[in-house]
Amino acid sequence: MRFDLVDLRLFVAVAEARSITHGASRSALALASASARIKGMEEALGVPLLQRERRGVELTAAGQSLLDHARIVLHDVEALQGDLASYARGAKATIHMLANTAGMSEHLPKVLAAYLVRNPQISIHVEERESPHIGPALASGVADLGLAAAHVVPDTLEMFPFCDDRLVLVTSPHDEFTGRRQIDFREVLERDFVGLSEGSALQDHIASHAARLGRRLRLRARFRTFDAVCQVIEAGVGVAMMPEVAARRASKTMKVSVVRIRDAWTQRRLVVCMRSFKALPKPAQQLVLHLRASATIREPDSRRSQ
């Protein structure tokens, strides 16, 4: 097999676009050249990679396997380039990190800010994803690091505990639930909710647990931030669910109350995870060490990185 990086980038582009024409365009190649490269890859492997159809292409099983490996190879090449570029004067490296809603908005900002202040040559791109999607994304080479709920991270990834992240109910001072120490999630489903904006990983997570009980959240309003949600709750409009750290912070400046929820799924432990610490570029390794030093949990873990 004599694949080059152009072949791999082309194949990823074709697979993602489900079209040789669009994949060729994304790769800045002529259609005839792109078709010849794809055919050459299939001949070298001895198996078809694509099923040609009238409206595009579909991956065969071999094609899906190649796509997974190609993404990892291309990610590693980019990491190599970034690692070497960091030695050039004035060059900047970028670390790509995935995090769930709570991690992105509550647990990471101050920790990452401290790292960025000490490393002006480094940039960090944090992308929000649901915890169950972070592990597979890392495994396929989409990003360098992730911060996700421990119970859904695949055993194949290296990880270490970072912090606890309990989800709680937030109510107005005069709400019927205010004053209770704990409550069942099922009881809350009878109420109107104030939630986060469309596309929020946390809001989707809460909605999925409501669906498991055969219910649908009755959302009165949706906002981008926890503070905005709490302002509406303070006015007496419904209830909300959010990380306890965000709710406690809001309760210091707003008249809202916090009620813990008994359901086990609301008590989460967040872990920093990665495919391999040793395979990370140097800037990402430095960030991992910084995150480990900043973790609020100190305990052994059988799948610790390093």
Side-chain angles (χ1 to χ4, degrees):
M1 294 183 292
R2 296 182 179 180
F3 299 161
D4 59 25
L5 294 179
V6 175
D7 288 334
L8 294 181
R9 289 194 178 99
L10 169 64
F11 186 77
V12 170
V14 169
E16 291 178 347
R18 291 296 192 266
S19 165
I20 296 178
T21 301
H22 294 311
S25 177
R26 292 182 185 182
S27 304
L29 293 172
L31 177 58
S33 175
S35 296
R37 282 180 175 272
I38 295 294
K39 184 177 180 180
M41 295 172 72
E42 291 178 319
E43 290 176 349
L45 284 169
V47 294
L49 301 172
L50 302 172
Q51 292 180 346
R52 279 77 169 172
E53 300 177 354
R54 290 182 59 187
R55 295 187 178 181
V57 297
E58 293 294 331
L59 295 176
T60 63
Q64 184 60 58
S65 178
L66 177 59
L67 175 62
D68 293 339
H69 287 289
R71 282 173 168 162
I72 291 173
V73 169
L74 293 174
H75 177 269
D76 288 346
V77 169
E78 290 176 2
L80 170 64
Q81 292 172 336
D83 212 6
L84 294 178
S86 66
Y87 289 100
R89 188 172 184 178
K92 287 182 175 285
T94 298
I95 301 169
H96 189 184
M97 186 171 187
L98 306 178
N100 64 7
T101 305
M104 186 170 183
S105 63
E106 298 298 324
H107 301 293
L108 285 178
K110 288 185 178 180
V111 174
L112 295 184
Y115 176 81
L116 290 168
V117 167
R118 293 201 299 267
N119 297 275
Q121 78 282 9
I122 306 299
S123 297
I124 302 175
H125 171 58
V126 184
E127 180 182 346
E128 183 180 350
R129 295 277 185 98
E130 286 189 67
S131 284
H133 299 161
I134 291 176
L138 292 177
S140 64
V142 170
D144 300 300
L145 307 173
L147 183 64
H151 68 282
V152 294
V153 176
D155 291 337
T156 53
L157 297 182
E158 294 181 10
M159 68 181 69
F160 60 86
F162 185 70
C163 67
D164 286 326
D165 180 62
R166 180 192 296 269
L167 297 179
V168 297
L169 185 72
V170 180
T171 66
S172 67
H174 306 296
D175 192 274
E176 62 179 297
F177 293 146
T178 300
R180 291 184 57 172
R181 293 186 58 190
Q182 291 186 329
I183 195 169
D184 292 324
F185 181 55
R186 186 183 296 274
E187 296 179 68
V188 181
L189 293 176
E190 302 294 333
R191 301 291 305 279
D192 289 335
F193 271 77
V194 180
L196 295 173
S197 300
E198 193 79 28
S200 161
L202 175 58
Q203 200 62 52
D204 291 344
H205 179 62
I206 296 169
S208 70
H209 281 279
R212 292 178 186 179
L213 296 174
R215 304 296 298 276
R216 185 175 181 179
L217 296 180
R218 296 183 349 214
L219 286 164
R220 288 286 309 281
R222 305 183 77 154
F223 298 91
R224 289 183 60 84
T225 67
F226 293 126
D227 283 348
V229 169
C230 287
Q231 289 179 45
V232 178
I233 297 298
E234 183 182 29
V237 180
V239 297
M241 284 182 64
M242 65 181 62
E244 187 170 23
V245 62
R248 298 293 182 191
R249 173 172 49 77
S251 69
K252 296 178 181 178
T253 57
M254 294 179 237
K255 294 180 180 179
V256 295
S257 299
V258 179
V259 182
R260 288 192 169 182
I261 302 173
R262 293 190 186 93
D263 300 59
W265 64 268
T266 64
Q267 301 175 41
R268 309 183 300 175
R269 172 154 293 181
L270 301 187
V271 296
V272 174
C273 47
M274 68 216 78
R275 279 197 297 132
S276 167
F277 176 82
K278 292 181 178 179
L280 289 174
K282 284 293 191 296
Q285 289 184 351
Q286 293 170 0
L287 177 57
V288 169
L289 297 177
H290 174 75
L291 291 170
R292 185 189 294 282
S294 303
T296 59
I297 300 173
R298 296 287 188 271
E299 64 178 34
D301 190 290
S302 60
R303 293 177 288 169
R304 288 172 65 92
S305 65
Q306 300 182 70

